Amino acid sequence: MQQSVLTTVMLPAALALIMFGLGLSLAPQDFARIATRPKAVVIALVAQILVLPAICFGLVVLFGLEPLLAAGMMLLAASPGGTTANLYSHLFGGDVALNVSLTAVNSVLAVLTLPLVVNLSLDHFVGAGPDIGLQADKVVQVFAIVLVPVAVGMTVRRVSATFANRMDKPVRILSAIVLAAVIVGAIVQERERLGGYIASVGLVALLFSAISLTIGYWLPRLFDVERRQAIASGMEIGIHNSTLAITIALSPTLLANPTMAVPPAVYGVLMFGTTLVFGYLVRRRATEPAEPSPASG
């Protein structure tokens, strides 16, 4: 009964609150702003949608993860950027406006790309079956849990920006409390197998986090995207929405598979450390004096 309440009520409620909070910070111009920085946006989206799932696939094959854990990692890789990317980008000197735009677009695209990646992954690692994957009706549910709360939050902001700004912090705190309760409940249920899960998927999750952050930063830099936008891209691509992945994995009406929720849960803990290290390194690099050219002597 406890797990039923967690998966059917508290976890969707936490995600809805998080996505509603995201909507409170978004406005239509955040989508329009993409036109002012098309190169940074296109590079980040290509990395998010194509490059990272391919890298994640290589990692799970290389480390020989068991099928459902492998599919859980792919579910994580297909999830859009997490809402905390905006905070980390602000802390370490990124272009937060770009983060907001990328989060908005990623959340919309994920409605199409996430079910595709999940279904292909389950078919490859687990095998086809009548109850495996996200069928059309479940894709509609993904659409509902991702975009409807965002749309409601944007509507609230449009009606009263003052109220939206005032509600932003309480909504974040409440969603964090509910999410923490869900995670504790899931840990209690899986406590006997938790050590084995961490041992089997922890290194893969850690590597995937570090690689995501690195690619998110250096791929734009290779194409001469300026540093602040590259930092924003690194945060957006490197911080996946593990809450969304956990919700889809645990929801009785979607995948209803606790094992697939393990990789995003483990990643959700480990990524805080890798992101802080990444942020420290890019900030230190930004403050280092440029080397003098040979001709300057």
Side-chain angles (χ1 to χ4, degrees), residues 67-217:
L68 286 174
L69 291 178
M73 279 298 305
M74 295 302 297
L75 168 61
L76 172 69
S79 299
T83 54
T84 52
N86 299 356
L87 172 60
Y88 279 105
S89 185
H90 172 71
L91 289 175
F92 294 107
D95 184 343
V96 179
L98 176 60
N99 279 105
V100 172
S101 299
L102 285 172
T103 299
V105 176
N106 267 331
S107 297
V108 175
L109 292 179
V111 174
L112 302 175
T113 59
L114 189 148
L116 177 63
V117 172
V118 169
N119 285 340
L120 290 174
S121 301
L122 284 169
D123 184 63
H124 177 80
F125 292 111
V126 181
D131 299 322
I132 292 178
L134 295 171
Q135 284 75 44
D137 59 330
K138 297 181 179 181
V139 173
V140 173
Q141 293 179 48
V142 173
F143 180 89
I145 65 176
V146 173
L147 292 188
V148 170
V150 173
V152 172
M154 290 181 67
T155 302
V156 170
R157 182 171 188 83
R158 184 178 181 87
V159 172
S160 175
T162 302
F163 176 76
N165 291 334
R166 191 166 65 244
M167 289 298 296
D168 181 64
K169 187 175 181 179
V171 167
R172 289 176 184 271
I173 293 173
L174 181 59
S175 61
I177 292 173
V178 176
L179 180 59
V182 173
I183 292 174
V184 170
I187 290 173
V188 169
Q189 189 201 24
E190 298 289 324
R191 60 188 179 279
E192 294 181 358
R193 290 178 287 182
L194 191 60
Y197 283 148
I198 293 176
S200 59
V201 80
L203 181 57
V204 176
L206 187 66
L207 287 173
F208 181 64
S209 176
I211 292 172
S212 297
L213 290 162
T214 302
I215 288 178
Y217 176 79

Side-chain angles (χ1 to χ4, degrees), residues 259-272:
T259 304
M260 286 184 63
V262 171
V266 173
Y267 164 89
V269 174
L270 297 178
M271 70 91 179
F272 288 108

